Amino acid sequence: MRGNRKGWRRAGERRDDGPVAEQGELGFGGLLRRLRDDAGLTQEELAEAAQVSQRAVSDLERGINRTARKDTAVLLADALNLAEPVRALFVAAARGRAPAAGVLAALQRQAQAASWAAAGSVHGFPAALTSFIGRAEPLRGVAGLLSDHRLVTVTGPGGAGKTRLAAQVARQVAGRFADGAWLAELAPVADPAQVAAAVAAALGVREQPGLPAAEALARALARQQLLLVLDNCEHVIGAAAALCAGLLAACDDVRVLATSREPLRVAGEARYRLASLALPDLDDLAEAARAEAVALFADRARDADALFTLDDQTAPAVARLVTRLDGMPLAIELAAAQVEALGVTGLLGRLDERLALLAGGDRLAPSRQRSLAATVAWSYQLLDEAERRVFRAVSVFPAGFTLEGAEAVAGEAAGPAVLRLVDCSLLTPPRDGPDGRSRYSMLETLRGYGAGRLAETGEHDQAAAALAGYALGVAEEAAAGLQTRTGEREAARWLDAEDATMRQVLAWAVGQDPEVALRLAIALGWWWFLRGRLAGQRPLLAEVTGYAEVGSDQWCAAQFLFAWAAEFSADTAGALEHFTALRDAVAGRPPSSALADALAGRSYALRDLGQIPEAAEDARRALAVAREVGYPFGEVVALLDLALAAAAVGDVGDAVRLARQAGQVPGDVPVSITRTCSVWLTEVLIQADDFAAAERVCADGLAASRDAGDMVNLPTLLARLALLELRASRAEDAAAHMREALQLALRTGFWFAVYLDYCGHLCAATGRQAEAVTLWAAYAALLPREEDWPGDSRLRQEPLGAARRVLGPGRARAAEERGAAMGWATAAEYALMLTGPSPGPQQPQAPGPGLGKLSARERELVTLVAQGATNAQIAAQLFISVRTVGSHLDRIRHKTGCRRRADLTRLALTAGLV
C-alpha cells in the first residue's frame, strides 16, 4: 500500500544552511519561498512567526500578490531573522523597489562571511526564570571537554546545579553544531525500557514499524550534527549508557552531554565532577561579595525581598550562611527564599540548629550532603501541616502539573498551599505547557525528598491511586475530544503535555490496578495513533488485553488497538490474526461497531497481503454492519477500504466514487479520518487522470493538515500536490512543495519511496533527464514491484521513455546503474538536493565547492560517507584508526565547508562520486 506503511524508510531531518545561490530570474514570490525554505519553515510556521495569515504568505509565494505592504514585509523579515543589509534589501524587494537577485547576492556574501561559531539553536530547554550566577570555570571546562570528547558526563550530588550548568553549556556551544542542541529530560522516565522512546519523542523522531526505538533514533540522527543533552540519567543509568553507546557508534556527528549522580561508564566518556560554588574567605569579609556563593544568595534574596541589600551588616552573616551550606546552589536558593520572613541572622540560627541535628545523626555523610539535607528539611519544617501534606502529595507527579492536578492528588484546598510552595522555592513558578495550561514543577532533589516523606507517612499508595484517577479522567476526557471534528487539536495537545504522567501511571497500573491500566491504554490509543506511537505500545497492549474477558467491550477496544499496533509494526500476518480473533469473538452476536472494526481491519491487512478479492468482501461486510448499527467512523473506514481495493485492480471510476462517499459520511467522526479521506481521494483521482479535481481536494486536505499539525498526512499531501502542480506546468511551486514534503518526512524519520517517483517527474519536467532516470531506477530498486500502483506506472512510462531517448543507450544505462546502486539514505539526500532552488535544466555539474582541493584519499572518504558508512566502518575498510578517520573528516570539512555528513553526501552526489 502506497503512502501508508509499505515503502516507508527511516531517516533524519536536516536543512541546508549554506548560501542561496542566484539561478536565473526570480520574483519576490520565489525569493520568499527560498528564504522560508532555507530557514526550514513551513508556510504555516512562517505566518505564525510573522503574525500574518497563511493565505498572505501563500499568495505572495505563488505570485498572486507580487508586492507586499511595508508592515507585512517588515514582519516577514523579522520572522526570517534577516540581518542588515539583507533585511533592508528584502523590504525594498517586497515593495517592488529592488531586484530579488540583489537580496540573494547580499545573503550569499553574508553567509560566506559568517563563521561556524555563529549562534546555533537550542531545542527543548525551558526559559531560565533566574539569572545564571558564577560557574565560569565549569562552563569553560565542560565546553572544552566537548571539543575533544563525544560523550561528557557532568556528575555531582543532587542540588549541585548540574542541570542548570548543562543548559548553560548547551546555549554556549550550540553554534558548533549545525543542527543545534537538543534536551531530552529523563527524570520523568521511570521504566528504563522507555528511555530510547522518550529521547526519540523529545527530538520529534517517530517510531518505525518493526524497528526498536533506539535504532530508529540512531538512523534519524546519523544525518545530523547536534549536541544531545541527556539530563538526570542516574535512575535509568544502564539504559542511558546503552543508548549513548549505540548513538555514538552510529552517529559520528552527534555529541552527548549527560548529567548524572554517577558516570555512565561508556567507552570514551569524559567526566566532569561539579564542585560546590566558590566560598568566601571568612578572614576577609570585605571580599565576601565577590564569592560565587554569596553572589547567588544575594541575587535570589532580592527576588524574595526587593529591599534586601548586601552591605556591611548583612555580608558577614551571608558569608557564614553560605559557608555553612557548603556552597550548594539548591540549599542556598532555598535559604534565600526565606530571607524576607526570617532575615539573614534568623536564617543562620535556624540552619545551625538543623545542621547540628543532622551531624549527630549521620557523621559519615559528606558535609555538603548534610547541608543540603538540612536546608531541604528545614524548608519543609517551616511549612504548616496542610502545606507539608500538599508538598508530599505533589511529589508523586513525574513532571509538570496543573493546579487542577494538584487538587486531584492533594485535595480541593491545595491551591493556596501550591502558591506558598512557589514562594518558598519548593516548586518552580508555573510555565505554559503545549496545551496552554500553566504547570508547576519540582526539582528532582526536592521531588526525591518529598517522595521519601510520602513513603514515611504511609501516604504513597493513596497519592499514587489519586494520580492514577486523575490521569484516567484526563485521558478519557481527551479521548472523547479526539473523536470529534472540532476537539482534536486541543485534546491532543492536552495529552502531549501530560505525557510523562501518563507513562508513569501506566507503569504503576500494570502492576497495581489492571482495570486502570486497561482503561487508560484504551483511552490513549487514538492519541498514540495520531502521534505515530501506536507500534511502540504493542507489548503493553498485548498485556492489558489479557486483563479483560474475551468478547467484552473493553477487550474488543483493546484488541482493536493491539491489531493495529501489529499492522504498524510491519507484522501484517499478525494483524490479520488479531483482527480475525476480534471478528470471531463477536461474530455470534447482533451486529456491532466492534464487528465493523474487525472486518475493516481484516480488509486492510488482506489488501496488504495481496488478497484483493477477500479484502473487498470483508470491506463490503464492514460497510453493511457499520450502516446497520449507525457507526459513522466504521462506515468511513470501510468505504476507504473498498476504494483502495477497487484502485488496486484498476477500477478507478469506482474507486473515486467510493472515496468521495467516504468523505461525505454524516456524523461526528474524528477529524483526522477526514484528512485521510483527502489523501486517498487525491490518490484515486490522480489514478483516474482527473488532475484538476485532485488538486482541489489535495489543497483542502493540505490546509486542514497544516492547521492540525498533522505530520502523518501533511508530507504525503505535499508530495501529491507537487505532482499535480507539475501537470499544471508550475514547476517552481512543485519543487517547493516537494522539498517541504521531503524535509518533513526526514524530520520525523518516516520516509516513503513514492517521493523518489514524484521527484523523478520533477526532474523530467525541468529538463534533467539523467537525474530523472537515476531517481526512477532508485525507486524501482527500493520499492517492491507489487507496491507500484498501475496509475503511477502509467504516468511514468512516457516521461521515462522520453528521458531515455534523449540520453541515448549509454548515458541512460549509466544513470540507471547509478540509481540502482543507491541505498535509502543516499537516494533521499539525492532527491532533496534536486528539489533545491531553480529546478530548471542544468548543465553538467563541475566538482562541488572545495572538492578540487581534496586529495584522492579524502575523495575516497567522502564517497564512503555518502554511501552511509560510519567512521568505524570506514576505518575498518581502509585499515586506519577511527581517530584518523575523524581527523581526515575534520580537514575535509574545513576545505569544503560541509558540516554535516549529509552535506558531504550532497557534495559526493553533486560531483558524481556516488
Side-chain angles (χ1 to χ4, degrees):
M1 183 172 173
R2 293 279 304 280
N4 196 304
R5 183 180 64 79
K6 304 281 186 166
W8 58 266
R9 208 63 185 177
R10 313 99 171 173
E13 182 259 345
R14 72 173 295 277
R15 68 175 181 84
D16 296 318
D17 286 321
V20 183
E22 173 70 318
Q23 299 178 39
E25 294 298 321
L26 182 74
F28 179 74
L31 169 68
L32 180 60
R33 183 185 302 111
R34 293 186 190 185
L35 293 177
R36 174 178 61 78
D37 177 64
D38 195 55
L41 297 173
T42 64
Q43 286 185 348
E44 180 187 25
E45 289 167 343
L46 176 58
E48 181 178 357
Q51 297 183 333
V52 301
S53 69
Q54 184 183 330
R55 178 66 178 271
V57 175
S58 177
D59 286 351
L60 285 169
E61 289 191 355
R62 296 183 67 151
I64 296 174
N65 292 331
R66 296 185 179 275
T67 60
R69 297 200 315 256
K70 183 176 180 180
D71 57 341
T72 299
V74 169
L75 290 170
L76 289 169
D78 291 341
L80 291 166
N81 292 319
L82 299 181
E84 296 294 354
V86 175
R87 186 178 185 277
L89 288 170
F90 175 88
V91 173
R95 304 287 290 142
R97 298 170 182 171
V103 180
L104 291 179
L107 185 64
Q108 183 170 4
R109 289 193 298 271
Q110 190 178 76
Q112 289 172 338
S115 71
W116 281 14
S121 55
V122 293
H123 308 268
F125 293 87
L129 300 180
T130 55
S131 56
F132 187 78
I133 304 294
R135 296 299 199 191
E137 181 55 38
L139 275 173
R140 285 192 297 269
V142 176
L145 287 174
L146 281 170
S147 297
D148 300 324
H149 301 272
R150 295 186 56 216
L151 170 61
V152 177
T153 303
V154 177
T155 63
K162 300 184 296 296
T163 295
R164 188 69 185 271
L165 175 68
Q168 197 71 13
V169 169
R171 291 184 173 93
Q172 180 174 306
V173 306
R176 302 180 190 173
F177 302 90
D179 296 297
W182 294 73
L183 173 67
E185 174 56 72
L186 299 186
V189 183
D191 182 1
Q194 292 296 315
V195 166
V199 175
L203 272 65
V205 176
R206 286 179 58 191
E207 294 177 353
Q208 310 301 334
L211 193 70
E215 189 174 341
L217 183 63
R219 293 194 182 191
L221 297 188
R223 303 176 66 253
Q224 301 191 47
Q225 184 194 54
L226 59 79
L227 174 66
L228 174 61
V229 179
L230 298 179
D231 193 28
N232 290 302
C233 297
E234 53 272 353
H235 64 299
V236 286
I237 193 77
L243 178 65
C244 287
L247 291 179
L248 295 177
C251 312
D252 290 298
D253 289 344
V254 169
R255 298 197 175 211
V256 179
L257 174 59
T259 72
S260 176
R261 297 187 187 184
E262 60 177 299
L264 299 187
R265 295 182 174 85
V266 173
E269 176 187 34
R271 304 168 186 177
Y272 189 96
R273 180 77 177 176
L274 185 60
S276 302
L277 293 170
L279 294 171
D281 183 352
L282 295 181
D283 295 328
D284 187 6
L285 293 178
E287 297 296 314
R290 299 185 181 182
E292 291 180 339
V294 172
L296 178 63
F297 181 92
D299 183 82
R300 301 305 189 256
R302 282 190 289 270
D303 290 339
D305 179 3
L307 300 179
F308 176 83
T309 58
L310 195 65
D311 54 27
D312 292 342
Q313 295 284 327
T314 57
V318 170
R320 288 194 294 272
L321 176 65
V322 298
T323 301
R324 292 291 276 149
L325 294 176
D326 291 297
M328 290 292 285
L330 178 57
I332 291 170
E333 294 196 11
L334 289 173
Q338 304 291 343
V339 72
E340 184 179 25
L342 298 174
V344 180
T345 304
L347 282 171
L348 188 57
R350 295 287 188 95
L351 282 174
D352 279 342
E353 294 174 7
R354 174 60 60 175
L355 285 165
L357 182 63
L358 282 183
D362 186 1
R363 297 183 183 278
L364 297 180
S367 62
R368 64 179 177 181
Q369 181 178 326
R370 294 200 305 270
S371 65
L372 177 60
T375 310
V376 174
W378 169 73
S379 298
Y380 174 73
Q381 290 300 327
L382 287 176
L383 304 172
D384 64 32
E385 180 49 40
E387 293 164 347
R388 287 196 289 267
R389 185 177 59 79
V390 172
F391 175 78
R392 295 192 299 267
V394 297
S395 71
V396 78
F397 282 98
F401 57 89
T402 62
L403 193 58
E404 292 78 10
E407 291 170 344
V409 301
E412 294 182 359
V418 168
L419 301 181
R420 166 72 171 146
L421 294 175
V422 172
D423 288 342
C424 296
S425 293
L426 292 170
L427 290 178
T428 61
R431 293 188 177 94
D432 286 345
D435 57 347
R437 293 174 172 85
S438 294
R439 283 179 166 76
Y440 302 87
S441 60
M442 186 180 283
L443 295 175
E444 281 308 297
T445 299
L446 299 176
R447 181 179 289 113
Y449 180 85
R453 304 294 78 72
L454 195 67
E456 283 181 3
T457 57
E459 298 168 343
H460 178 270
D461 290 346
Q462 178 184 350
L467 180 63
Y470 166 74
L472 183 59
V474 168
E476 290 184 338
E477 183 178 344
L482 291 174
Q483 297 302 310
T484 67
R485 294 186 187 272
T486 58
E488 179 193 70
R489 172 184 277 195
E490 181 179 350
R493 290 183 176 178
W494 192 9
L495 291 175
D496 290 341
E498 298 284 0
D499 186 15
T501 295
M502 297 300 164
R503 288 178 187 266
Q504 176 171 297
V505 170
L506 265 176
W508 173 85
V510 165
Q512 301 295 324
D513 194 331
E515 173 69 15
V516 168
L518 177 62
R519 289 175 58 189
L520 187 56
I522 292 170
L524 294 174
W526 195 253
W527 175 65
W528 286 334
F529 167 73
L530 288 176
R531 294 297 185 247
R533 291 164 57 173
L534 186 60
Q537 304 301 325
R538 188 180 182 186
L540 171 70
L541 290 167
E543 181 164 356
V544 300
T545 301
Y547 296 160
E549 181 182 353
V550 174
S552 66
D553 289 345
Q554 288 186 334
W555 181 88
C556 290
Q559 181 74 7
F560 174 73
L561 293 171
F562 182 35
W564 278 112
E567 176 67 26
F568 294 145
S569 298
D571 183 9
T572 302
L576 180 60
E577 178 184 345
H578 301 321
F579 282 126
T580 301
L582 176 57
R583 179 201 64 182
D584 294 346
V586 298
R589 305 175 187 176
S592 63
S593 59
L595 179 58
D597 286 338
L599 292 168
R602 273 179 48 86
S603 176
Y604 188 103
L606 287 165
R607 186 178 63 253
D608 267 1
L609 293 171
Q611 301 176 41
I612 306 302
E614 296 89 343
E617 176 58 29
D618 270 11
R620 283 189 287 270
R621 291 181 60 199
L623 179 61
V625 171
R627 286 174 170 170
E628 182 178 351
V629 301
Y631 183 34
F633 173 79
E635 186 175 350
V636 172
V637 175
L639 285 166
L640 285 178
D641 279 338
L642 283 170
L644 297 177
V649 296
D651 189 354
V652 292
D654 202 35
V656 170
R657 178 183 63 81
L658 291 163
R660 287 192 185 279
Q661 286 184 25
Q664 296 166 357
V665 172
D668 204 11
V669 298
V671 69
S672 57
I673 199 68
T674 64
R675 297 193 295 271
T676 302
C677 287
S678 296
V679 170
W680 292 117
L681 179 55
T682 299
E683 178 66 46
V684 296
L685 284 168
I686 291 172
Q687 304 296 316
D689 293 342
D690 191 349
F691 302 111
E695 185 168 358
R696 289 193 297 272
V697 171
C698 189
D700 289 344
L702 184 59
S705 295
R706 285 194 192 280
D707 184 62
D710 183 350
M711 293 297 105
V712 176
N713 289 313
L714 182 57
T716 303
L717 286 164
L718 282 165
R720 285 174 179 157
L721 181 59
L723 182 64
L724 292 165
E725 286 170 332
L726 286 175
R727 303 290 301 186
S729 300
R730 299 197 301 271
E732 192 169 0
D733 290 338
H737 285 127
M738 191 67 244
R739 185 170 181 81
E740 186 179 355
L742 290 168
Q743 289 174 327
L744 286 172
L746 294 173
R747 180 184 306 169
T748 58
F750 215 67
W751 171 264
F752 295 115
V754 68
Y755 299 146
L756 301 178
D757 184 23
Y758 292 172
C759 284
H761 282 285
L762 173 65
C763 290
T766 51
R768 295 176 289 179
Q769 287 84 7
E771 290 85 348
V773 172
T774 297
L775 283 167
W776 278 324
Y779 173 74
L782 296 170
L783 186 78
R785 183 177 301 276
E786 63 271 15
E787 293 300 320
D788 194 14
W789 283 48
D792 286 344
S793 178
R794 176 170 45 80
L795 286 174
R796 190 166 54 251
Q797 285 177 359
E798 181 181 344
L800 177 56
R804 284 170 171 159
R805 288 191 295 274
V806 170
L807 293 173
R811 291 176 61 200
R813 187 181 309 109
E816 289 172 345
E817 290 173 352
R818 184 186 188 192
M822 287 183 178
W824 282 102
T826 305
E829 198 59 54
Y830 189 55
L832 187 62
M833 182 180 75
L834 293 172
T835 60
S838 187
Q842 296 180 350
Q843 298 300 319
Q845 293 172 315
L851 192 63
K853 303 175 183 178
L854 301 184
S855 66
R857 170 51 65 92
E858 288 171 336
R859 285 175 177 247
E860 185 178 16
L861 261 71
V862 170
T863 301
L864 291 171
V865 167
Q867 292 171 346
T870 66
N871 285 9
Q873 291 167 336
I874 294 172
Q877 184 168 338
L878 300 183
F879 301 101
I880 56 179
S881 71
V882 174
R883 180 178 293 274
T884 300
V885 173
S887 298
H888 280 310
L889 290 177
D890 286 342
R891 286 194 293 273
I892 290 169
R893 288 185 170 106
H894 179 72
K895 290 180 179 180
T896 63
C898 295
R899 299 180 68 177
R900 310 172 181 86
R901 297 177 88 80
D903 297 331
L904 292 172
T905 300
R906 289 168 63 88
L907 180 66
L909 286 163
T910 301
L913 298 180
V914 290

